[in-house]
Amino acid sequence: MVNSFEFEGKQIHTDHQGYLLNVEDWAAPMADIIAATENIELSANHWEVINFVRSFYLEYKTSPAIRVLVKAIGQSLGPDKGNSKYLYTLFPVGPAKQATKIAGLPKPAKCI
Amino acid sequence: MNLHHIQTSAYTDNALSLCLRYYGVDDAILLAGDAINCLLDVNWQTQLQGKTLYLLESDMLSRGLKTKLENSLNSSHITVIDYAGFVSLSLQFSKVITW
Amino acid sequence: MKKISILFRHSPYGNAASREGLDLALLSASFEQEVSVIFIGEGLLNLLPNQQPQLSGVKDYIATFKAMPLYDIESVLVCEQSLAQLGIGINELSLDCESASAALISHHLTLSDEVLVF
C-alpha cells in the first residue's frame, strides 16, 4: 500500500507506515512534518541524531542498528549522548525506527 | 573436525573444489544430490583420493548410480550412509559446513 | 558468545547470496557474536571498488560492507589463492582485509563454532 502527503506542492510517496519511498524526496523542512506524525517536536538534540543517521545511510546504504547508532553517536557526540537511554528520551518509540523515518530513510530491516 | 556437506554438481558449481582447498586433516565430505555425479569422473576420483567421503544412499540410488560406482565404493575411504547415518555424523563432527 | 565465520563464495551479481551473508554478518554482530567474514572464489568481487550495482538493477548493498568495522567485525580474510587467480591485489579492495593462505582459512574454520557459506 502506498500513501502520500503533499510537501511544497509536490506529492511525496511513503509506505503504509509513513517511511519515504525515495530518499531523495527528503528536505530538512520536511522533518518537522514527519516528526509531528510521531508526536515529536524537533530540538537541536534531535537534529544531531537525524543528521547522523542520514549521513550514515547515504554512506553505507543501510540504516544503523541501534547498537551501532549508540556506539557511533558516543564516538562523535560524547558518552553522555552515546547511550540508549538518552536516545530513547529523544525518540520514545525507538531511536532507530523514528530517527530514520524523520530523516526520510527506509525503515531499518531489523529494528533492534 | 568439519563435515563438508556438498549438494551441487561439481560441473555447475565450484563448491566441491573450494571445499577441497580448505579441507582439514580430520575433515570429511558428504556428497549428496548432484554432488555424487563427480565420482563417475576419473579426474574427480583422483582429486578426492585420501579424503574421507560419505555418500547419501538414496541420492545415489535415485540417480541409478549404484552399479556405476561399484568400483569406487569398494575403496575404503567412501562410506554409503542413509539419513540416520547423516544425523549421527552431524553429532560426531564438531560442525557441518553446508556449501 | 560464539565464533561465527561467514564465507562469501558467490559473485555479488546474479543471486542474493552475498547480500544475505552480509545481513547475517551484521545481525550476528549486533547480537554480540564474534563474527569473521571470509571472501573466497568469486566472493571477493564483493570487495572491488567503483561498483555501480544500480546499473544491474541491484540494490546497493556493496556500500554496506564498509560498515562492518562499526559493527565490530574486525576479522576480514581474503583467500590468497583466489586473489592470484582473479588477478586482484589485496590493496585494490575497498576494505582493509588480510590475505590468507588456504591453510590459514582451514585453521580458522576449525576454530569457529559455526561456519555459514553464502
Side-chain angles (χ1 to χ4, degrees):
Chain A
M1 191 171 87
V2 175
N3 294 334
S4 63
F5 63 89
E6 201 181 296
F7 177 75
E8 295 178 351
K10 200 182 155 206
Q11 282 300 309
I12 307 293
H13 298 288
T14 69
D15 69 7
H16 67 284
Q17 289 173 304
Y19 290 83
L20 295 204
L21 292 186
N22 299 310
V23 179
E24 299 78 28
D25 283 347
W26 189 85
M30 200 187 288
D32 289 306
I33 300 174
I34 306 174
T37 67
E38 297 283 316
N39 300 315
I40 291 174
E41 200 176 320
L42 296 181
S43 66
N45 288 338
H46 289 99
W47 272 105
E48 279 180 341
V49 179
I50 291 166
N51 288 329
F52 177 85
V53 294
R54 187 152 174 101
S55 61
F56 187 100
Y57 183 88
L58 294 178
E59 181 164 4
Y60 300 115
K61 303 290 190 292
T62 186
S63 300
I66 180 72
R67 201 175 78 94
V68 172
L69 185 64
V70 166
K71 186 179 148 195
I73 289 205
Q75 278 169 2
S76 59
L77 305 175
D80 52 327
K81 294 183 175 174
N83 61 75
S84 46
K85 190 174 166 229
Y86 170 77
L87 293 172
Y88 270 94
T89 318
L90 295 175
F91 302 99
V93 175
K97 269 181 218 166
Q98 291 186 302
T100 53
K101 188 174 184 176
I102 297 167
L105 307 176
K107 184 174 170 26
K110 27 240 163 198
C111 250
I112 37 167
Chain B
M1 236 183 108
N2 298 323
L3 179 65
H4 299 273
H5 179 202
I6 311 279
Q7 309 173 83
T8 50
S9 164
Y11 301 99
T12 55
D13 188 32
N14 63 356
L16 181 59
S17 56
L18 282 175
C19 140
L20 283 175
R21 189 184 291 172
Y22 313 113
Y23 182 93
V25 273
D26 297 322
D27 290 0
I29 299 173
L30 168 64
L31 297 174
D34 283 341
I36 294 173
N37 301 346
C38 72
L39 289 175
L40 295 164
D41 182 328
V42 181
N43 288 325
W44 276 111
Q45 287 168 11
T46 314
Q47 287 196 62
L48 292 168
Q49 226 143 46
K51 308 287 188 282
T52 308
L53 293 184
Y54 295 93
L55 272 192
L56 203 58
E57 186 175 36
S58 54
D59 288 347
M60 171 183 71
L61 295 177
S62 67
R63 285 165 176 72
L65 293 176
K66 189 171 183 212
T67 47
K68 298 298 292 178
L69 294 180
E70 220 133 55
N71 285 335
S72 310
L73 297 181
N74 287 332
S75 97
S76 59
H77 70 118
I78 305 186
T79 312
V80 176
I81 55 163
D82 56 13
Y83 278 101
F86 186 7
V87 173
S88 36
L89 277 184
S90 60
L91 296 172
Q92 186 186 320
F93 283 84
S94 46
K95 59 189 170 290
V96 178
I97 302 178
T98 299
W99 288 80
Chain C
M1 186 164 77
K2 281 195 168 191
K3 286 186 177 31
I4 300 179
S5 290
I6 298 179
L7 268 70
F8 294 84
R9 72 174 185 92
H10 283 106
S11 146
Y13 303 90
N15 62 60
S18 299
R19 189 176 160 188
E20 287 166 8
L22 177 60
D23 273 350
L24 181 71
L26 298 182
L27 194 59
S28 307
S30 312
F31 281 100
E32 318 221 347
Q33 305 301 307
E34 190 181 327
V35 176
S36 306
V37 291
I38 306 173
F39 295 87
I40 63 175
E42 282 180 296
L44 62 88
L45 299 179
N46 281 292
L47 302 182
L48 276 188
N50 306 320
Q51 296 189 52
Q52 300 178 65
Q54 66 282 6
L55 295 180
S56 289
V58 175
K59 181 185 184 284
D60 185 5
Y61 69 91
I62 299 292
T64 309
F65 278 107
K66 292 190 203 132
M68 290 195 301
L70 298 169
Y71 283 75
D72 295 324
I73 301 176
E74 311 284 357
S75 164
V76 182
L77 304 181
V78 177
C79 175
E80 190 179 77
Q81 210 170 320
S82 307
L83 282 169
Q85 206 170 13
L86 299 175
I88 297 171
I90 186 92
N91 297 326
E92 291 177 52
L93 302 178
S94 60
L95 267 185
D96 269 344
C97 23
E98 184 189 339
S99 168
S101 65
L104 189 83
I105 292 177
S106 170
H107 183 64
H108 195 93
L109 298 184
T110 303
L111 295 181
S112 305
D113 296 309
E114 299 291 345
V115 176
L116 296 128
V117 185
F118 287 91

